[in-house]
Amino acid sequence: MTSREFAKLIGVSQPTVSRALNNSNLVAPETKEYVLKKAREYKFELNSQAQSLKTSRTGTIGILFPKHFISMNNNLMLAHVYDCIQQELSSYDYDIMVIYYDSNSQDFSRFERSIRKKKVDGFLVLRMELMDEEMELIQQYQVPCVFMMNANANIRENLSYFFSDSFYGGYLAGKYFGEFRDYHKMYITVSEERDDASRRFNGYRKGLEEMGYYFRDEDIVQCNIGIRSAYDCVSRHMELLRKRKTAIFTYSDLLAIGAVQACLRHDVAVPEQVQILGMDDMPLATMLQPEISTVHVDVDEIVPKACHLLMELIEKKAVMRQEWVRPRLIIRETSLLV
Amino acid sequence: MTSREFAKLIGVSQPTVSRALNNSNLVAPETKEYVLKKAREYKFELNSQAQSLKTSRTGTIGILFPKHFISMNNNLMLAHVYDCIQQELSSYDYDIMVIYYDSNSQDFSRFERSIRKKKVDGFLVLRMELMDEEMELIQQYQVPCVFMMNANANIRENLSYFFSDSFYGGYLAGKYFGEFRDYHKMYITVSEERDDASRRFNGYRKGLEEMGYYFRDEDIVQCNIGIRSAYDCVSRHMELLRKRKTAIFTYSDLLAIGAVQACLRHDVAVPEQVQILGMDDMPLATMLQPEISTVHVDVDEIVPKACHLLMELIEKKAVMRQEWVRPRLIIRETSLLV
DNA sequence: CTGAAAGCGCTTACAG
DNA sequence: CTGAAAGCGCTTACAG
C-alpha cells in the first residue's frame, strides 16, 4: 500500500499522512493521532526507499571493520565491541549495515560504493587504518564518520574519534610491573596492529623506566592476534621462563590467555614464576581460570559516546570531537606480588 | 551527479547509462564499454535509493539474530557463524544488515519494520524461533527467508532451511559414550535453547540406550549458555565427580570448556576421571588446553548453502529447499577411552 | 492546519 | 541498438 492509497482510504491527503507519520508539527494533534491509529490498524509503513530518495537520508549507519578482523573468533575483543555497538544503537532509530574493508587490497569497493551509492548516513569506524584515498572520499562526500577504539599512526586532525589511550594503558602496566623487582620483563606484541601495539609498548617502556627498569628490545616477542599464536610463542620460550622469573605484558587479553595456557601446560606456576598482564579486559578474561589481570579499556564508555556523536553529526547538531579515553589497571589472578 | 547529468556529460542518453551500468545487453558492446570507462573516470555510481524505488530491490539482505544472542561473547558459536556468513556473502553483491529480535517481547518492530519498509530483499535467520505473527508476516509479504543452524519445535512445512541434525549429533555422542562402561553419564543442558537442547538430549539418550545404558533424567544438569555458568554448575557437582568416574555430554563446546575449567581448578583429571564431550566444534574448542572433544557441526557447509539458496530465492531462480545437515564426532583431548 | 503539485534519480515499456 | 516519456512512493515548498 502506498501513502496515496492509504491517505485516500482513511480520508486525508498524502501530505497529511507523511506529516503525521514523520511526527511533524505541521499537522493538528487530533489528525496526527487519527492517522497514527489508522496506520497501526492497517499496518501501514512508509516505503523507506522513496523516503530516502526525497530526503537523501537512509536511516542506516555503517559499521566499518578492518578485514583482518573478519574472524571475530580470533579477535574476540571485536565481538565484544560489536555487542556494545549493537546494544547502544538499538536505542536509536537506525539500522545497521556491516561493512568490511581490507587495507591490504586496493579493493575498497564495499566501503567506497556504500558512500557513492548513498546507502548509509554515516560510519562508525573501528580503528583508523583507512588509506589516504579513503580519507579523501570521506572528506569529499562529507560523510559523517566517527573513529573509535585503536588509532593508527597518521591521525587526521579534522576527524572525530574516541580512542583508547593505549600509551597510557601501557604506562600503567609498566609502573605496575616495575614493582616486581626480581622479575625479568617481557612484552608480547602483534604484527596485525603495529601502530597501536607500539603505542602500548612505548607506554610500557616509559612506565618501567620511571621505576628504574630499562627494557631491552630483544625482550619483545612477536606473534599474531589469537590465543593459539601466543600459546605457541610462549611455549617456545618455556626453557627461559623456567630459568628466571618473568613478568609478561601482552598486547591483548587474548595473547595473555594463550600465555597462561602455555604456562599451565608446561607446569610453570602463574603468577609465582610467570606474571601475566593483558590489555582490553574482554569478557573472556574473567571466564577462564585463572582470571586474567589486565588493563581495562572502557568500551562501555567509548561506544555510547561514539554512537551519540555520530547521530549528532548526521543531524548536524554537533561538530568534530576528539577524545582519548584512559584505561585503568585491573589486577586479578595472573599477576600478584608474592 | 545524477545519471541524467552524467549521461549529458558523456554524450549519451540516460537509459543508455542505466543499461550499461546494469550490464544489460540492450546496449551495444562498444557503447557499454565507453560508458563504463567514463563511469570509472568520473567515479559515477547510480543512486541506490532511486534504483530501489524503481526496481523494489534493495541489494541488501538482513541477518536476523535472536536477541538473547546479542552477546556474542557469551555465545561464541554465534560469532563463528557470523564470520562464516560475512565471508560467504562477500562474494555476492549484497550488503548486509544485521537485525536483532527479541522473542520474549512483543516488540518485533525492527524485523517487522525492515519488511514493511522494504529495507531488505531477504533474510537469513539464525534459529527458527520466530513467533507465529512473524511467520505470518513472512508469508504475507512473500519475503525470501532461509533459516539455518538450530531449529525450534514448530518447523513450518513451507519454509526453506538448513538445520544441523542435532538429534543425530546427540546420538553420536551417546553411541560413543556408551563404550565408556564404567563411567556414569551426565548431560548438561541450557535453558535458552530448549527445543534444540532436547533434540540433542534425545539423540544422546537413544545412542546410550542402543549401547545398553539407560539414562536417568536426574542426571540432566541445567545451566545457561556461557562458560561461567557451566563452570559454576560443574563446580557444584565436584564431590560427586570425585566419587565416581563420569562422562559428561554438554549442549555446546562453551559449556564443555566451562566444565573442563572447573575440573582443572579442582584437580579432577580430564579425561581419566571426567570425560567431557561438547558440541558445535567452535574455534575456541581447539584454542584452549586441553582441546575439547566435540560433535562437529558443519557451519562451513550450512552457511554457503543457505546463502546461495537465499540468493536464488531472491532472484526467483529456486524454490523451497530443506535439509538437515549431519554432524560428526571429533575426538580430541577431553575424552578418551583409557 | 491542510492539500495540489512538483520533483528526488533512477528503470523500463514504448517508439523508432 | 538508442532515446523521449512515464512513473516508482515519498516529501516539501507553496497556496489557501
Side-chain angles (χ1 to χ4, degrees):
Chain A
M1 183 158 49
T2 72
S3 69
R4 191 197 313 275
E5 289 162 6
F6 176 63
K8 180 169 282 182
L9 184 66
I10 67 170
V12 298
S13 73
Q14 201 181 9
T16 300
V17 167
S18 171
R19 289 185 187 112
L21 263 41
N22 286 307
N23 200 23
S24 155
N25 42 20
L26 284 169
V27 65
E30 312 83 58
T31 318
K32 185 186 286 185
E33 203 168 321
Y34 170 71
V35 174
L36 289 174
K37 202 189 102 216
K38 287 295 184 185
R40 270 194 301 277
E41 193 177 320
Y42 290 101
K43 307 207 167 180
F44 173 75
E45 291 266 2
L46 294 167
N47 177 310
S48 66
Q49 311 306 324
Q51 282 185 298
S52 303
L53 184 55
K54 279 302 289 183
T55 61
S56 50
R57 288 270 286 281
T58 62
T60 109
I61 74 144
I63 302 182
L64 203 59
F65 286 114
K67 199 152 194 176
H68 66 257
F69 258 22
I70 198 172
S71 111
M72 292 215 194
N73 285 291
N74 271 332
N75 199 328
L76 291 170
M77 181 60 176
L78 177 67
H80 179 47
V81 174
Y82 184 74
D83 281 348
C84 291
I85 294 176
Q86 279 288 354
Q87 188 99 49
E88 183 61 26
L89 285 179
S90 69
S91 60
Y92 296 93
D93 199 23
Y94 279 87
D95 292 305
I96 296 171
M97 186 161 287
V98 178
I99 298 162
Y100 285 86
Y101 75 89
D102 186 346
S103 52
N104 295 322
S105 88
Q106 66 282 69
D107 163 47
F108 311 122
S109 52
R110 219 83 194 188
F111 170 51
E112 196 167 332
R113 283 184 44 211
S114 67
I115 294 183
R116 292 200 200 286
K117 299 194 72 140
K118 309 254 162 65
K119 285 197 99 165
V120 299
D121 294 334
F123 285 101
L124 229 41
V125 188
L126 294 202
R127 319 265 148 152
M128 192 185 265
E129 290 182 351
L130 296 174
M131 314 282 278
D132 286 342
E133 305 91 69
E134 296 169 294
M135 289 299 195
E136 298 308 332
L137 210 64
I138 290 172
Q139 314 255 287
Q140 183 192 332
Y141 279 79
Q142 302 273 13
V143 42
C145 271
V146 177
F147 294 81
M148 58 187 287
M149 296 310 295
N150 301 354
N152 77 347
N154 57 333
I155 296 164
R156 299 283 179 119
E157 304 289 320
N158 49 355
L159 293 175
S160 291
Y161 57 74
F162 292 90
F163 288 138
S164 161
D165 189 342
S166 301
F167 180 90
Y168 184 72
Y171 176 77
L172 291 178
K175 291 287 275 189
Y176 177 67
F177 269 172
E179 306 269 12
F180 293 65
R181 300 289 168 194
D182 48 341
Y183 283 80
H184 188 79
K185 309 297 189 292
M186 253 175 80
Y187 177 63
I188 303 186
T189 189
V190 118
S191 51
E192 288 92 340
E193 303 277 342
R194 219 171 283 279
D195 293 339
D196 199 58
S198 62
R199 231 181 239 119
R200 293 179 192 201
F201 171 68
N202 291 334
Y204 182 52
R205 184 205 292 269
K206 169 120 181 291
L208 285 173
E209 257 173 39
E210 287 188 10
M211 300 299 286
Y213 185 98
Y214 294 89
F215 191 95
R216 300 171 316 169
D217 283 349
E218 66 215 62
D219 291 324
I220 299 180
V221 175
Q222 179 91 23
C223 77
N224 299 317
I225 288 183
I227 295 174
R228 198 56 194 233
S229 174
Y231 177 87
D232 293 339
C233 268
V234 172
S235 294
R236 253 177 273 122
H237 288 75
M238 207 47 78
E239 281 321 296
L240 232 80
L241 294 180
R242 266 190 233 284
K243 260 185 249 158
R244 61 185 183 199
K245 291 170 139 190
T246 307
I248 307 179
F249 176 49
T250 63
Y251 170 76
S252 78
D253 290 342
L254 223 48
L255 305 192
I257 288 169
V260 169
Q261 297 274 324
C263 291
L264 295 184
R265 190 66 160 197
H266 295 88
D267 278 321
V268 168
V270 176
E272 295 77 6
Q273 179 70 14
V274 176
Q275 305 273 350
I276 297 173
L277 185 62
M279 183 151 172
D280 283 347
D281 198 18
M282 63 170 63
L284 199 59
T286 56
M287 289 181 188
L288 302 175
Q289 304 291 328
E291 297 188 3
I292 307 295
S293 295
T294 192
V295 178
H296 176 86
V297 171
D298 210 338
V299 181
D300 290 328
E301 181 185 343
I302 292 176
V303 167
K305 281 184 172 177
C307 292
H308 190 246
L309 179 62
L310 182 60
M311 298 307 144
E312 295 204 319
L313 289 175
I314 290 173
E315 291 159 18
K316 304 208 186 302
K317 285 193 206 143
V319 289
M320 193 195 67
R321 216 180 123 199
Q322 306 182 329
E323 192 177 328
W324 291 86
V325 177
R326 286 204 156 183
R328 64 180 193 275
L329 208 58
I330 296 188
I331 300 309
R332 289 195 274 248
E333 299 179 87
T334 58
S335 75
L336 261 187
L337 256 189
V338 276
Chain B
M1 185 158 50
T2 71
S3 71
R4 192 199 311 277
E5 289 162 6
F6 176 65
K8 181 168 283 183
L9 183 66
I10 66 168
V12 299
S13 74
Q14 201 181 9
T16 300
V17 167
S18 171
R19 290 189 187 109
L21 262 43
N22 287 307
N23 201 22
S24 154
N25 43 20
L26 283 169
V27 64
E30 313 84 55
T31 317
K32 185 186 287 186
E33 202 168 321
Y34 170 71
V35 174
L36 288 175
K37 200 188 105 221
K38 286 294 183 185
R40 270 194 301 277
E41 192 177 320
Y42 291 100
K43 307 208 165 180
F44 173 75
E45 290 268 2
L46 295 167
N47 178 310
S48 67
Q49 311 304 324
Q51 282 186 298
S52 303
L53 184 55
K54 277 304 291 183
T55 60
S56 51
R57 288 271 286 280
T58 63
T60 108
I61 75 141
I63 302 182
L64 203 59
F65 287 113
K67 198 152 196 176
H68 67 257
F69 257 24
I70 197 173
S71 111
M72 293 216 194
N73 286 289
N74 273 330
N75 200 327
L76 291 169
M77 182 60 177
L78 177 67
H80 179 48
V81 174
Y82 184 73
D83 281 348
C84 291
I85 294 176
Q86 278 289 355
Q87 188 100 50
E88 184 62 25
L89 284 180
S90 70
S91 61
Y92 295 93
D93 199 24
Y94 279 88
D95 292 303
I96 297 171
M97 185 161 289
V98 177
I99 298 161
Y100 284 87
Y101 74 90
D102 186 347
S103 53
N104 295 322
S105 89
Q106 65 280 69
D107 161 47
F108 312 121
S109 53
R110 218 86 195 186
F111 170 52
E112 196 167 330
R113 285 184 43 211
S114 67
I115 295 182
R116 291 199 201 286
K117 299 192 71 133
K118 310 253 162 62
K119 284 197 99 165
V120 300
D121 294 334
F123 285 101
L124 229 41
V125 187
L126 294 203
R127 320 265 147 155
M128 193 185 265
E129 290 182 350
L130 295 174
M131 315 283 280
D132 285 343
E133 304 91 68
E134 298 170 293
M135 290 298 196
E136 296 309 331
L137 211 64
I138 291 170
Q139 314 257 285
Q140 182 190 334
Y141 280 77
Q142 302 273 11
V143 43
C145 272
V146 177
F147 295 81
M148 58 187 286
M149 298 307 297
N150 301 352
N152 77 348
N154 57 332
I155 297 163
R156 300 283 179 118
E157 304 289 321
N158 48 354
L159 294 175
S160 291
Y161 57 74
F162 292 89
F163 288 139
S164 160
D165 189 343
S166 300
F167 180 91
Y168 184 73
Y171 175 78
L172 291 178
K175 289 287 274 189
Y176 177 66
F177 269 171
E179 304 270 12
F180 293 65
R181 299 285 168 200
D182 47 344
Y183 283 80
H184 189 79
K185 309 298 189 290
M186 254 174 79
Y187 176 65
I188 303 186
T189 189
V190 118
S191 49
E192 289 92 339
E193 303 278 342
R194 217 171 284 281
D195 293 341
D196 199 57
S198 62
R199 231 182 238 114
R200 292 178 193 202
F201 172 68
N202 290 333
Y204 182 52
R205 183 204 292 269
K206 170 122 182 288
L208 285 172
E209 258 174 38
E210 287 187 9
M211 300 298 287
Y213 185 98
Y214 293 89
F215 193 94
R216 299 171 314 166
D217 283 349
E218 66 215 63
D219 291 323
I220 300 181
V221 175
Q222 180 89 24
C223 76
N224 299 317
I225 288 182
I227 294 174
R228 198 57 193 235
S229 176
Y231 178 86
D232 293 339
C233 269
V234 172
S235 293
R236 252 178 274 125
H237 288 77
M238 207 45 78
E239 282 320 298
L240 232 81
L241 295 180
R242 268 189 232 282
K243 259 185 251 159
R244 60 185 182 198
K245 291 171 139 191
T246 307
I248 307 178
F249 176 50
T250 63
Y251 170 76
S252 76
D253 290 342
L254 223 47
L255 306 192
I257 289 169
V260 169
Q261 297 274 323
C263 290
L264 294 185
R265 190 66 160 199
H266 295 88
D267 280 320
V268 168
V270 176
E272 294 77 5
Q273 179 69 13
V274 176
Q275 304 272 352
I276 297 173
L277 184 63
M279 182 152 174
D280 282 347
D281 199 18
M282 60 169 67
L284 199 60
T286 55
M287 291 181 187
L288 301 175
Q289 305 291 329
E291 297 188 1
I292 308 294
S293 295
T294 192
V295 179
H296 176 87
V297 171
D298 211 338
V299 181
D300 291 329
E301 180 184 343
I302 292 177
V303 168
K305 280 184 172 175
C307 291
H308 189 246
L309 179 62
L310 182 59
M311 299 305 145
E312 295 203 321
L313 288 174
I314 289 174
E315 290 159 18
K316 305 210 185 300
K317 284 192 206 145
V319 290
M320 194 194 64
R321 213 178 126 202
Q322 307 183 329
E323 191 176 329
W324 291 88
V325 177
R326 287 205 156 183
R328 63 180 194 274
L329 208 57
I330 296 190
I331 300 310
R332 289 195 274 249
E333 298 179 87
T334 59
S335 75
L336 261 187
L337 256 189
V338 275

